Amino acid sequence: MVNIIALVSGLIFGLGLILAGMANPAKVLAFLDIAGAWDPSLALVMTGAIVVGSLAFAVARKCNRSYLGLPMNLSTSRVIDKRLVLGSLAFGIGWGMAGICPGPALVLLGSGSVKGTVFVAAMLLGMGIFEILERTRSINFRKRGQS
Amino acid sequence: MVGTDGGALIGMAVALLVLFNARIAGISGIVGGLFGMQKGDMNWRVAFIAGLVAAPLVWQLFASLPAVRIDGSYAVMAIAGLVVGIGTRYGSGCTSGHGVCGLSRGSLRSIIATLAFMGTGLATVYVIRHVFNFWI
């Protein structure tokens, strides 16, 4: 059941991105181009999503368990660190270069876009590099702890 | 309004995932989590990604897909994709995880992250289009 919900959620998410125009990189770049022919319509997408999303999280906050009985332990980290800020700053540069963020990238992949596919492949490579760096870091951390 | 309708659909997807599966619909986190290779934590991720990738195919059953334009070259796609992959993992989220879910929860971390990536996103487009005045 968990997997069916995930599949349906992913599908609705993707249809929402297409309907909103978020899956069109030219439109995303027009939204980010405030000094040019600015297209503010994507702000409406964020607003629409946040209005519905905040209702959902308001309900979720009051539940100990999800409707499928899973523990509702959502992240409560409040740490503002260098990783959060520098990582997000870097993400914005990539987003501004291509007009593509991870969700729309996967929708572009599904629509058969070759450039979208190149973006997804590079994104997965980047995530893989992060994973390797993280594991190396935790191994070194443990080594230091033992000595 | 197409924008708010699309946004409301995204919000519904977020609602479904958190209320039933107790999960945050953050795309970079869902995809990046696959690299953890943790048993029992893989299938729902694959299912969500499959739904997302299948969305344009399902859309085409009912209507033709809206036009898409990608101006960047292949090299730009490769560099931008790499930066987005590394950046979203270090920053623990992207437009969906921080921008939609995090702001919906009123998370301070997500507000900071969203300001950061919106800031560099706007700055990058400004520099490319209005300082150097070229299309990449």
Side-chain angles (χ1 to χ4, degrees):
Chain A
M1 195 59 195
V2 169
N3 296 333
I4 295 171
I5 295 286
L7 179 74
V8 173
S9 173
L11 181 63
I12 296 175
F13 202 111
L15 294 174
L17 288 174
I18 298 170
L19 181 63
M22 276 290 286
N24 181 7
K27 190 171 170 71
V28 175
L29 289 179
F31 168 65
L32 292 174
D33 189 10
I34 44 173
W38 189 43
D39 173 2
S41 61
L42 290 190
L44 291 175
V45 180
M46 291 283 277
T47 311
I50 291 170
V51 167
V52 179
S54 46
L55 291 173
F57 282 106
V59 175
R61 231 191 304 272
K62 290 190 182 133
C63 304
N64 292 324
R65 290 186 172 274
S66 75
Y67 295 153
L68 293 180
L70 299 163
M72 192 70 85
N73 45 7
L74 304 174
S75 158
T76 50
S77 170
R78 301 188 68 83
V79 190
I80 313 289
D81 56 7
K82 238 195 289 184
R83 292 164 63 97
L84 177 80
V85 175
L86 293 180
S88 299
L89 289 172
F91 161 46
I93 294 172
W95 190 36
M97 284 173 69
I100 305 174
C101 55
L106 292 170
V107 172
L108 286 170
L109 175 74
S111 65
S113 154
V114 183
K115 282 182 179 171
T117 307
V118 170
F119 185 95
V120 170
M123 180 177 86
L124 292 174
L125 179 67
M127 290 177 170
I129 291 171
F130 165 82
E131 202 68 28
I132 291 164
L133 292 175
E134 279 302 282
R135 285 184 194 183
T136 324
R137 198 173 83 121
S138 72
I139 289 165
N140 290 341
F141 193 70
R142 253 179 273 149
K143 273 187 193 155
R144 270 203 300 275
Q146 280 162 0
S147 59
Chain B
M1 291 295 284
V2 169
T4 43
D5 289 352
L9 272 183
I10 294 169
M12 279 166 60
V14 166
L16 205 58
L17 205 64
V18 71
L19 294 175
F20 283 85
N21 288 10
R23 291 285 183 174
I24 302 276
I27 314 300
S28 60
I30 292 175
V31 177
L34 286 173
F35 290 88
M37 300 281 187
Q38 279 183 355
K39 233 183 142 200
D41 187 49
M42 299 290 279
N43 290 350
W44 76 272
R45 294 178 189 275
V46 174
F48 183 92
I49 295 164
L52 198 51
V53 174
L57 306 172
V58 172
W59 180 288
Q60 278 174 310
L61 296 177
F62 304 99
S64 57
L65 281 173
V68 164
R69 208 182 79 222
I70 306 180
D71 293 315
S73 65
Y74 286 102
V76 168
M77 293 302 123
I79 297 165
L82 195 68
V83 174
V84 167
I86 297 177
T88 52
R89 293 301 284 148
Y90 271 105
S92 307
C94 56
T95 339
S96 51
H98 284 311
V100 175
C101 295
L103 294 192
S104 295
R105 299 168 67 196
S107 152
L108 182 62
R109 265 171 69 83
S110 291
I111 294 169
I112 305 261
T114 306
L115 287 174
F117 69 68
M118 284 294 297
T120 47
L122 292 167
T124 303
V125 172
Y126 184 81
V127 168
I128 290 171
R129 292 194 174 176
H130 304 288
V131 177
F132 294 115
N133 200 18
F134 66 88
W135 280 97
I136 55 170

